C-alpha cells in the first residue's frame, strides 16, 4: 500500500517517519499555521508525494510561490541536515509534472464552464436566491431544455429571464404565478456576478474535467499532474473563486463513480488560504460546500484545507478532517490564545506532549501531526520535522512559466473564447421577428382610375354624373386599410359636418321665428 511521507521525529531516522496511508487520503485533511511557519512548503511536499504516487493534485497558487514545484530543487546545507536527521536516503531534486491554469486566461490555460453545467440549484445557491426566485430559476432551466435553448454564458441567462418577463402571461398558464419583482431581483444578481468575473468564467470552450485528472508516464513511473490555479488576481474576486471550487467539486461528485476501498485517491484537492474563502463566501454557498465535502469522499476525492487556524473552518467541515498538520500559532492576544486552545483540542492527546504549549514553540518547518491509522483512528499527535520538498521553493520566472505553457499538451485548446449561437442569439432573433411582424406597412394612396369618357361622349349630363360620383366613396378606397393620417382626416370631416349642421339648424330656427313675428304683426 503506497504511503505519503510527511516527515519524522527528529534524530530517530526511518523508524520515526510519519506517513499518511494512501488508502485513507480521501478522509480529508487540514494544514494550519500562522504566516511564515511553513504551510506552503508542507503543501508542496504533500502535492509532490501524491504526484509520485500517481495521484493528480489540484491547488490554488494564491501567492504565486508554489509554481516552483515545476522545477527541480537545489542541494542546500539545511536540506542535507534535515535529510540526515530524518534518515531519508533516496532524496533527489526533481521537478513535478505541472499544468498551469488561470480563470482569467492570462498566466495559464483558461478555466471556463457553461451556465447549463452549473445547474439551477447550484446557480440559485451562487446567486443567494430565496425559495420563490429559486423556483423561477428551475422554471428558466426547464424552459430552456424544452425549447432547445443552450445556456452557455451569462448573456444567455439574462436573455432567458427577460424573455420570461416579456411572456409572463404565457408562462403563468403552464407554471403558475411568475413574479416580475422576483425576475427583476434575479436579473440584478446575475449582473453583479458578471461584474465580479462571472462573464469570464461562464463561456466556451468549457473545461474538460478529465484534463484535471490526467497522469503521465507508465507503470512505476506514473506521475499525477499537479494542477496549479493562479490565485493572485482571483483572490480579489472571492465569489468567483468559490463558484469555481464548488462547481469543480460538484462536477467531480456528479461524474465520478462510487468507489469502494482503494489503495489511493482519484484526486487530491487543496484549498489554499481557506480562511479567505470562508470569510467572504455567502452562507448558502458555504452550506453547499460543506455538504459536498462530506459526500465526495465516497468518490475517491480527498479535500485538504490550508489555512491559518482550525477556527477558520466551520465545525461541520472541521469534523470531517481526519489527517491534521498544525504549524506554529502565536498567542499574543486573548483571541490568539483561544485559537491555540482550539487547535490543541482538535488532536488526539499525547501524554508526552503539552500540545497547547508546543504549538507556540514550533519552529519553521516543524508541525504537530496526527493521521489516521489502518483502522481509521487518529494517531496520537507527534512533534514532527517536515521533509524537504524535491522541487524548488519559490516561484517560477516569467520566462519559465511561458515555456511551461508552450510545452503543455493542452497548449491552444482553451486559449480562444468561442461565442457560438445559443439562447441569447436565438431569443434576440425571436424578439426581432416578433417586432417586425407587429409593424404594419404605411398605406399608399390607391391610383385613381382614369374614367374620363371620350370627347365625343361628353355632354351636359356628364357634369351631373361626375357630381354624383364625387359624393360617393370609391370601392377601392373602402377596401384599402386606412392609415393614421386618413383616420385623423375623417374625424375632422365629421367634426366640420356637425358644426355646419348645428349652424344650419340655428340659422333655420332664427329665420322661422322672424317670419312668424312678421305675420303676427300683420
Amino acid at each position: 500500500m503506497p504511503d505519503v511521507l510527511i516527515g519524522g521525529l527528529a534524530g530517530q531516522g526511518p523508524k520515526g517517519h510519519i506517513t499518511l496511508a494512501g488508502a485513507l487520503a480521501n478522509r480529508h485533511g487540514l494544514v494550519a499555521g500562522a504566516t511564515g511557519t511553513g504551510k506552503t512548503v508542507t503543501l508542496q511536499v504533500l502535492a509532490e508525494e501524491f504526484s509520485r504516487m500517481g495521484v493528480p493534485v489540484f491547488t490554488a497558487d494564491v501567492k504565486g510561490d508554489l509554481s516552483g514545484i515545476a522545477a527541480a530543487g537545489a542541494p542546500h546545507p539545511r536540506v542535507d541536515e534535515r535529510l540526515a536527521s530524518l534518515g531519508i536516503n533516496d532524496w533527489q531534486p526533481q521537478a513535478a509534472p505541472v499544468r498551469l491554469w488561470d480563470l482569467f486566461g492570462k498566466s495559464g490555460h483558461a478555466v471556463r464552464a457553461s451556465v447549463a453545467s452549473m445547474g439551477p440549484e447550484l446557480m440559485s445557491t451562487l446567486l443567494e436566491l430565496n425559495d420563490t426566485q429559486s423556483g423561477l430559476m428551475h422554471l428558466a432551466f426547464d424552459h430552456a431544455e424544452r425549447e432547445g435553448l443552450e445556456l452557455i454564458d451569462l448573456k444567455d441567462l439574462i436573455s432567458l429571464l427577460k424573455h420570461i418577463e416579456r411572456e409572463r402571461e404565457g408562462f403563468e398558464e403552464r407554471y403558475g404565478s411568475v413574479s416580475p419583482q422576483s425576475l427583476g431581483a434575479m436579473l440584478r444578481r446575475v449582473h453583479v456576478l458578471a461584474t465580479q468575473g462571472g462573464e469570464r468564467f461562464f463561456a466556451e470552450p468549457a473545461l474538460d474535467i478529465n484534463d484535471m485528472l490526467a497522469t503521465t508516464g507508465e507503470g512505476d513511473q506514473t506521475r499525477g499532474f499537479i494542477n496549479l490555479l493562479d490565485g493572485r488576481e482571483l483572490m480579489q474576486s472571492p465569489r468567483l473563486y468559490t463558484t469555481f471550487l464548488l462547481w469543480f467539486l460538484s462536477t467531480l461528485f456528479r461524474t465520478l463513480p462510487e468507489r469502494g476501498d482503494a489503495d489511493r485517491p482519484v484526486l487530491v484537492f487543496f484549498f489554499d488560504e481557506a480562511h479567505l474563502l470562508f470569510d467572504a463566501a455567502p452562507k448558502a454557498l458555504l452550506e453547499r460546500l460543506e455538504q459536498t465535502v462530506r459526500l465526495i469522499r465516497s468518490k475517491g476525492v480527498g479535500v485538504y484545507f490550508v489555512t491559518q487556524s482550525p477556527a477558520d473552518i466551520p465545525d461541520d467541515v472541521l469534523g470531517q478532517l481526519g489527517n491534521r498538520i498544525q504549524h506554529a500559532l502565536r498567542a499574543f492576544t486573548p483571541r490568539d490564545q483561544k485559537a491555540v486552545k482550539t487547535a490543541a483540542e482538535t488532536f488526539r492527546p499525547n501524554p508526552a506532549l503539552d500540545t497547547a504549549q508546543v504549538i507556540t514553540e514550533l519552529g519553521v518547518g516543524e508541525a504537530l501531526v496526527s493521521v489516521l491509522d489502518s483502522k481509521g483512528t487518529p494517531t496520537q499527535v507527534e512533534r514532527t520535522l517536515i521533509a524537504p520538498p524535491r522541487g524548488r521553493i519559490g516561484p517560477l520566472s516569467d520566462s519559465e512559466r511561458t515555456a511551461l505553457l508552450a510545452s503543455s499538451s493542452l497548449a491552444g485548446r482553451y486559449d480562444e473564447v468561442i461565442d457560438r449561437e445559443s439562447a441569447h442569439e436565438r431569443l434576440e432573433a425571436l424578439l426581432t421577428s416578433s417586432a417586425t411582424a407587429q409593424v404594419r406597412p404605411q398605406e399608399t394612396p390607391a391610383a385613381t382610375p382614369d374614367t374620363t369618357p371620350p370627347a365625343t361622349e361628353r355632354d351636359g349630363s356628364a357634369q351631373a354624373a361626375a357630381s354624383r360620383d364625387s359624393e360617393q366613396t370609391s370601392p377601392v378606397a373602402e377596401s384599402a386599410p386606412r392609415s393614421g393620417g386618413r383616420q385623423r382626416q375623417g374625424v375632422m370631416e365629421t367634426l366640420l359636418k356637425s358644426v355646419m349642421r348645428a349652424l344650419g339648424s340655428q340659422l333655420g330656427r332664427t329665420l322661422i321665428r322672424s317670419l312668424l313675428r312678421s305675420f303676427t304683426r300683420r
Side-chain angles (χ1 to χ4, degrees):
M1 180 181 295
D3 291 334
V4 172
L5 177 62
I6 299 175
L9 306 180
Q12 295 192 19
K15 66 178 182 180
H17 285 179
I18 305 295
T19 60
L20 167 62
L24 299 172
N26 65 332
R27 272 26 175 213
H28 309 325
L30 172 71
V31 179
T35 301
T37 57
K39 296 192 304 297
T40 301
V41 174
T42 298
L43 190 163
Q44 182 171 342
V45 170
L46 294 176
E48 288 178 352
E49 288 293 304
F50 281 120
S51 175
R52 286 164 54 83
M53 190 189 293
V55 176
V57 173
F58 172 86
T59 181
D61 188 8
V62 176
K63 298 184 291 292
D65 54 356
L66 190 58
S67 59
I69 197 172
H76 191 278
R78 294 178 61 181
V79 173
D80 295 339
E81 181 182 351
R82 180 66 58 94
L83 294 172
S85 179
L86 297 177
I88 299 176
N89 302 317
D90 62 346
W91 187 92
Q92 292 291 333
Q94 187 178 40
V98 170
R99 283 178 171 171
L100 301 175
W101 301 89
D102 182 6
L103 260 65
F104 304 109
K106 298 178 180 178
S107 57
H109 306 300
V111 180
R112 306 184 187 93
S114 67
V115 171
S117 69
M118 187 70 64
E121 185 176 353
L122 187 54
M123 183 62 73
S124 298
T125 302
L126 171 63
L127 297 175
E128 299 182 83
L129 303 184
N130 59 32
D131 291 342
T132 300
Q133 295 162 352
S134 179
L136 289 177
M137 185 63 72
H138 281 78
L139 181 159
F141 273 72
D142 179 69
H143 178 72
E145 184 176 359
R146 285 173 178 267
E147 300 298 324
L149 300 173
E150 289 192 86
L151 299 178
I152 298 174
D153 52 28
L154 293 182
K155 290 188 303 181
D156 294 327
L157 183 57
I158 290 172
S159 294
L160 179 59
L161 293 176
K162 289 182 177 179
H163 172 68
I164 295 174
E165 190 174 37
R166 287 191 301 268
E167 306 294 334
R168 187 165 56 87
E169 293 182 1
F171 280 92
E172 286 182 338
E173 293 179 2
R174 173 181 292 180
Y175 297 100
S177 177
V178 176
S179 169
Q181 291 80 10
S182 294
L183 286 171
M186 294 167 67
L187 282 167
R188 289 191 293 272
R189 290 179 182 271
V190 174
H191 281 294
V192 170
L193 177 61
T195 60
Q196 293 182 348
E199 60 184 3
R200 301 183 184 182
F201 177 62
F202 293 105
E204 283 190 331
L207 172 69
D208 182 351
I209 207 71
N210 291 314
D211 288 336
M212 291 280 191
L213 303 175
T215 59
T216 183
E218 297 180 356
D220 294 339
Q221 299 302 314
T222 300
R223 299 288 183 265
F225 274 103
I226 298 176
N227 300 278
L228 295 182
L229 179 68
D230 193 341
R232 291 171 293 180
E233 183 178 350
L234 184 58
M235 288 301 101
Q236 306 303 317
S237 303
R239 177 166 295 191
L240 181 60
Y241 179 42
T242 309
T243 299
F244 165 73
L245 295 179
L246 190 51
W247 169 82
F248 188 34
L249 287 177
S250 298
T251 303
L252 289 171
F253 181 76
R254 186 175 63 253
T255 57
L256 292 176
E258 290 286 335
R259 289 167 53 90
D261 293 333
D263 63 347
R264 69 197 73 194
V266 174
L267 174 75
V268 173
F269 195 105
F270 288 95
F271 280 88
D272 195 11
E273 301 293 343
H275 61 281
L276 298 177
L277 171 67
F278 289 109
D279 288 345
K283 182 179 179 181
L285 209 56
L286 293 180
E287 290 175 351
R288 181 62 184 270
L289 178 62
E290 293 165 9
Q291 180 185 24
T292 304
V293 169
R294 286 197 300 270
L295 298 175
I296 203 170
R297 179 182 65 82
S298 64
K299 302 300 183 88
V301 177
V303 180
Y304 289 72
F305 294 91
V306 183
T307 187
Q308 295 185 357
S309 169
D312 298 330
I313 310 296
D315 291 341
D316 289 343
V317 175
L318 192 62
Q320 306 292 320
L321 311 182
N323 304 295
R324 303 193 178 190
I325 301 174
Q326 177 66 60
H327 287 271
L329 290 174
R330 309 308 176 199
F332 300 124
T333 67
R335 182 179 179 181
D336 294 339
Q337 294 170 2
K338 183 178 179 180
V340 169
K341 182 179 179 181
T342 299
E345 291 174 347
T346 61
F347 287 103
R348 178 182 172 184
N350 184 342
L353 290 176
D354 182 348
T355 306
Q357 180 65 31
V358 172
I359 287 177
T360 62
E361 298 173 350
L362 293 170
V364 176
E366 280 189 296
L368 292 174
V369 178
S370 175
V371 296
L372 299 177
D373 61 19
S374 58
K375 297 180 180 180
T377 303
T379 60
Q380 291 184 353
V381 61
E382 296 285 358
R383 185 169 183 168
T384 305
L385 291 175
I386 302 300
R390 300 171 187 268
R392 180 196 302 172
I393 298 176
L396 293 176
S397 65
D398 290 342
S399 59
E400 289 174 323
R401 183 182 290 271
T402 301
L404 181 60
L405 281 171
S407 63
S408 172
S409 60
L410 301 179
R413 182 178 301 182
Y414 297 104
D415 290 352
E416 299 296 330
V417 175
I418 301 174
D419 189 10
R420 60 187 177 88
E421 183 181 79
S422 52
H424 171 70
E425 288 76 15
R426 290 187 57 186
L427 291 173
E428 286 294 309
L430 179 64
L431 181 61
T432 301
S433 63
S434 177
T436 302
Q438 292 177 2
V439 176
R440 296 180 177 179
Q442 293 294 322
E443 178 188 7
T444 56
T448 303
D450 185 5
T451 57
T452 305
T456 56
E457 298 180 4
R458 294 176 184 171
D459 55 20
S461 62
Q463 295 181 357
S467 176
R468 288 193 304 270
D469 290 342
S470 66
E471 295 176 1
Q472 297 178 355
T473 303
S474 169
V476 176
E478 284 185 348
S479 62
R482 297 184 178 182
S483 65
R486 179 60 186 167
Q487 291 175 353
R488 288 192 295 271
Q489 184 178 0
V491 171
M492 294 301 295
E493 289 177 351
T494 302
L495 179 61
L496 181 59
K497 290 178 181 179
S498 298
V499 172
M500 293 301 293
R501 282 196 297 268
L503 291 176
S505 299
Q506 183 177 0
L507 180 60
R509 286 194 296 269
T510 302
L511 290 174
I512 291 172
R513 282 197 295 269
S514 299
L515 290 172
L516 288 175
R517 280 198 298 270
S518 63
F519 284 121
T520 302
R521 289 172 184 171
R522 291 180 184 178

